[in-house]
Amino acid sequence: MTLKRRITVFFIAGLVVAAVAAVYYMPQRQQTVAASGSRRGGPSASEPVPVLATAARAADVPVYLDGVGTAKALNTVTVRSQVDGKIINISFTEGQDVPAGYVLAKIDPATYQAAFDQTVAKKAQDESQLANARLDLDRYTRLAATNAVNKQQLDTQRALVSQLEAQVKLDQAAIDNARAILSYTDIVAPIAGRTGIRLIDVGNLVRGAEATGIVIITQLRPISVFFSLPQQNLPDLTKGMAEGQLPVDALTADGKSALDKGKVTVIDNQVDQTTGTVKLRAEFPNNDLQLWPGQFVNVRVLIDTLRQVVVVPTAAIQRGPNGAFVYVLKDGDAVTVRRVTLTQQNDVQAVVATGLQAGERVVTTGFARLTEGTQVTVSSAEDAGQVTAPAARPRPDGTRGTRGGERAGEKAKRSPSAGLPPVANP
C-alpha cells in the first residue's frame, strides 16, 4: 500500500470516530445546558407569570356620533357692478378682511354725476314756477272776493299750483334715483368677510348684467359645517335638539384633538332616501381660522354622557366562545376569569355594564399563560406607561347627559355610528 493511500485511510477513519463521539455526547450536553438555564432563572411552569394590571374606575363617559362634513362659509357674495362704466380704482388687497360698507372699487362717475345735476336743476326750475303760481293764486283769491275776476279763472290757477306741486315731487323722485345710481359707482362690500382673488383689473369696462363680478367675499367668522349621520340616530338627535343645541367638535385629521367647538343649528327636515342619512348643519366661531370653506372635516356630536360608569382599558378585554371576559386579580396574586358585558368601546377604553366593580384590578398584558387560578407577579400598568392616569373631563355644556351607571346597559343597542362603537352583549 502506498503512502498516499495510507494517509487517506487514516483520515477517513478519524472522521468516523469523531462522528460517533458527537452522537454519543450530544444528549448529555443538551441536558447540561437545560439544567444550567434553569439555575440561571429560565422559564418554569411553576413560577408566577409576570403581568401588568390596573384598577377599573368609575368615570363620566361621553357618547359621540362621528361623521365627516364639509366646511362652508356662512355667507358668500360675488360682488358685481350695478352700473356700466370703467373701473378707475380698486382699493382692496386680495385676501383682505373688509367690513360691511367698505369701498372695494370705483367706477368713473362722470356721466352719472351729470345726470344727477340735471335732475337737481330741473327741480329748481319747477320750484320757481310753483312759487310764482302760488303768488298768482293768492292774488286771484283776493280779487275773487270782490268779484274782480270770475271763479273759473281762480279754479284754473288753483289747478296749476297743484300740477306744479306734483311736478316738484316727481323731480325729487328723479333726484333720489339719480343719487342712487351715482352711489353705485362706489362698489362696496355688502357683508363683512375676507376677499378672494381679484376678478378684474383697473381700466376694464364693466356692465351691470355681467356675472363675473369684481371679487368674491366669504364670511369666515362664524363658519358652517354640513355633515350627514345615519337615520338610525334621528331619535337621539331630535331628543338632544329638544333639550338644547347639541355640542359638536371639529377634529384634526388624526381625530385626537379639536380644531374648534360649535353647536348643531339645524337638522334637515327630510332623510335622503338614496343614502339613508340625514343632513345637519353646525356653526363654529372659527376665531383662529382653523376651518376653511370647502375643507373636509371630521366631526363628532355629543348626544349624551354616561354618568359614573365602570371603565377599563380596552387592552384588558378578552373574547372567547362565551363572549367578552377579563382576568381579575384575587387575593394572593391569583387571577380569575370574569365574564363582562360591554356598553361601548373604543381604542382606548371600554365601558363595562355588568360583571365588574370600580376598584377591582384587571390584567392588561400577559394573557398567553393565564388560566383560572394562575399565580401572577403584578406590576402597575400606569408605572409601565401602558395606561395614563385619567384627567378630569369638564362637562361640555354643564347640562347634557344625565344618565348614571345603572342605566349604562341601555346603550348596548346604540347604533354603530356612535363615537365609541357598541359591543353586543354576549
Side-chain angles (χ1 to χ4, degrees), residues 86-91 105-106 198 200-205:
K86 182 177 68 174
I87 298 289
I88 61 175
N89 182 43
I90 291 180
S91 55
K106 189 170 183 64
R198 189 175 66 237
I200 200 169
D201 298 323
V202 174
N204 284 277
L205 291 174

Side-chain angles (χ1 to χ4, degrees), residues 277-296:
T277 60
V278 62
K279 183 179 292 186
L280 297 90
R281 186 182 73 179
E283 187 174 306
F284 295 86
N286 201 28
N287 295 325
D288 298 329
L289 296 179
Q290 294 292 315
L291 302 176
W292 213 253
Q295 174 184 355
F296 290 103

Side-chain angles (χ1 to χ4, degrees), residues 27 42 54-55 83 93 100 104 143 151 158 215-216 219 224 248 256 282 327 338 366 377 382 426:
T54 188
V83 295
T93 303
L104 301 171
L143 292 173
K151 186 176 180 182
R158 186 177 290 111
V215 69
I216 297 176
Q219 184 178 350
S224 296
V248 58
K256 295 181 179 179
Y327 287 101
R338 184 85 59 79
T377 301
E382 288 82 357

